């Protein structure tokens, strides 16, 4: 295994300022002076930026140890789900994204300020309305299915879209396990199991099962057929979706 380069060699501009936080403040030419106050002034590779909005986690900023590249991740605290991410070698763009996240600008406006920022498809639900959280998660799953870069992407996208087209499944909270599509009657952070599982096979078939490994309920040549069978096997009392409560420590 090769030894990673010295961070100071990859990021001499950051090293010159003593920390990523200080380099970001310099790149922003002032607007991040107070924003990055909580980030340690000795870390070359990591920083975080809090938001004025209580329903946003601090934006996490990290630098690659293998090549010159910064990554961001901004999420929401209740479920811990990602709302915005992205990679860039432009520190000034990172600073613009950090400022916009801190100031509470909309996700679309953050992307306009820093085009490298990638929206996951989820949207913010400050009041934690379960119905809106369900729709947010579906939008994230639909975008993820469109953007996958795997040979089986078309089959997986067809599966997600077929499930979303079924009102009974669309009303449930979707999640995946080993790329098997599942449904919960509660939102994260405490999911409820018990629904049928949908899977897309490498041979172009679509399976429905009681577990995420074996399609013991049926195998079909089209995704809509599989989704329709999943609806027929939903437990009678499965839903409506309620807010998942944090697990006890």
């Amino acid at each position: 295994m090769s030894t990673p380069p010295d961070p100071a060699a990859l990021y001499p501009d950051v090293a010159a300022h003593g920390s990523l936080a200080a380099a970001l403040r310099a790149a922003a030419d002032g607007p991040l002076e107070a924003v990055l106050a909580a980030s340690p002034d000795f870390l070359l590779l990591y920083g975080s930026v809090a938001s004025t909005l209580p329903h946003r986690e601090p934006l996490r900023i990290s630098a690659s140890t293998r090549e010159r590249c910064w990554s961001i991740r901004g999420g929401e605290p209740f479920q811990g789900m990602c709302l915005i991410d992205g990679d860039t070698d432009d520190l000034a763009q990172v600073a613009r994204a950090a400022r916009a996240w801190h100031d509470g600008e909309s996700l679309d406006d953050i992307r306009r300020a820093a085009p490298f920022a990638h929206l996951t498809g989820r949207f913010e639900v400050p009041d934690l309305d379960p119905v809106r959280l369900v729709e947010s998660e579906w939008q994230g799953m639909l975008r993820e299915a469109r953007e996958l870069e795997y040979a089986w992407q078309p089959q997986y996208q067809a599966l997600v879209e077929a499930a979303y087209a079924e009102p009974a499944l669309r009303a449930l909270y979707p999640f995946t396990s080993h790329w098997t599509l599942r449904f919960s009657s509660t939102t994260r952070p405490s999911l409820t199991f018990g629904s049928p599982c949908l899977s897309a096979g490498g041979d172009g078939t679509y399976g429905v099962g009681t577990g995420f490994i074996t399609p013991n309920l049926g195998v079909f040549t089209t995704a809509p057929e599989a989704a329709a069978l999943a609806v027929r096997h939903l437990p009678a009392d499965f839903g409506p979706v309620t807010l998942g409560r944090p697990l006890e420590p």
Side-chain angles (χ1 to χ4, degrees), residues 15 27 81 108 118 126 128 162 195 215 238:
M81 302 304 289
D108 287 332
H118 166 257
L128 300 179
S195 74
F238 204 71

Side-chain angles (χ1 to χ4, degrees), residues 8-9 18 31 34 37 51 69 72 85 96 117 122 126 157 194 196 211 213 216 220-221 236 238 249:
S51 175
C69 180
I72 65 167
D85 55 20
R96 288 195 290 272
R122 298 184 185 94
Q157 180 180 348
I213 296 179
N216 58 307
F220 302 91
T221 57
F238 204 71

Side-chain angles (χ1 to χ4, degrees), residues 165-199:
E166 289 283 353
L169 299 180
R170 187 168 65 244
L172 298 173
Y173 188 92
F175 67 103
T176 57
S177 178
H178 298 79
W179 296 109
T180 297
L181 182 57
R182 309 181 73 173
F183 310 94
S184 173
S185 61
T186 54
T187 70
R188 287 185 176 90
S190 53
L191 299 172
T192 301
F193 300 92
S195 74
C197 304
L198 289 166
S199 60

Side-chain angles (χ1 to χ4, degrees), residues 78-79 127-135 171-174 183-192 237-246:
F78 185 77
Q79 299 182 107
D127 63 355
L128 300 179
D129 175 14
V131 174
R132 295 276 290 162
L133 288 174
V134 166
E135 181 59 22
L172 298 173
Y173 188 92
F183 310 94
S184 173
S185 61
T186 54
T187 70
R188 287 185 176 90
S190 53
L191 299 172
T192 301
D237 58 348
F238 204 71
V241 172
T242 57
L243 196 63
R245 296 298 177 183

Side-chain angles (χ1 to χ4, degrees), residues 16-241:
H17 286 93
S19 70
L20 177 56
L24 280 167
R25 286 194 290 268
D29 194 23
L32 285 175
E33 285 295 336
V35 174
L36 280 156
S39 290
D41 277 332
F42 58 87
L43 295 177
L44 295 184
L45 300 180
Y46 303 100
S48 65
V49 178
S51 175
T52 56
L53 299 179
H55 55 270
R56 284 183 179 176
E57 292 182 327
L59 184 74
R60 298 207 299 261
I61 305 167
S62 60
S64 171
T65 60
R66 295 289 178 178
E67 59 182 347
R68 184 180 172 86
C69 180
W70 290 278
S71 299
I72 65 167
R73 185 190 189 279
E76 50 81 34
F78 185 77
Q79 299 182 107
M81 302 304 289
C82 184
L83 302 170
I84 190 168
D85 55 20
D87 304 292
T88 182
D89 61 1
D90 186 342
L91 191 60
Q93 280 216 45
V94 176
R96 288 195 290 272
R99 183 75 224 192
W101 180 265
H102 169 270
D103 289 350
E105 294 188 23
S106 71
L107 300 178
D108 287 332
D109 283 344
I110 295 173
R111 177 162 175 77
R112 280 188 280 270
F116 82 95
H118 166 257
L119 306 186
T120 64
R122 298 184 185 94
F123 50 82
E124 294 178 288
V125 186
D127 63 355
L128 300 179
D129 175 14
V131 174
R132 295 276 290 162
L133 288 174
V134 166
E135 181 59 22
S136 173
E137 197 58 28
W138 270 113
Q139 293 307 312
M141 188 166 288
L142 288 164
R143 176 167 293 189
E144 178 189 52
R146 292 193 299 267
E147 295 176 347
L148 284 175
E149 296 181 352
Y150 295 107
W152 41 265
Q153 180 274 334
Q155 288 78 25
Y156 181 75
Q157 180 180 348
L159 182 70
V160 174
E161 291 178 345
Y164 185 71
E166 289 283 353
L169 299 180
R170 187 168 65 244
L172 298 173
Y173 188 92
F175 67 103
T176 57
S177 178
H178 298 79
W179 296 109
T180 297
L181 182 57
R182 309 181 73 173
F183 310 94
S184 173
S185 61
T186 54
T187 70
R188 287 185 176 90
S190 53
L191 299 172
T192 301
F193 300 92
S195 74
C197 304
L198 289 166
S199 60
D203 59 356
T205 61
Y206 300 89
V208 187
T210 54
F212 68 87
I213 296 179
T214 303
N216 58 307
L217 296 178
V219 177
F220 302 91
T221 57
T222 70
E225 289 176 293
L229 181 65
V231 171
R232 294 197 293 274
H233 281 273
L234 283 175
D237 58 348
F238 204 71
V241 172

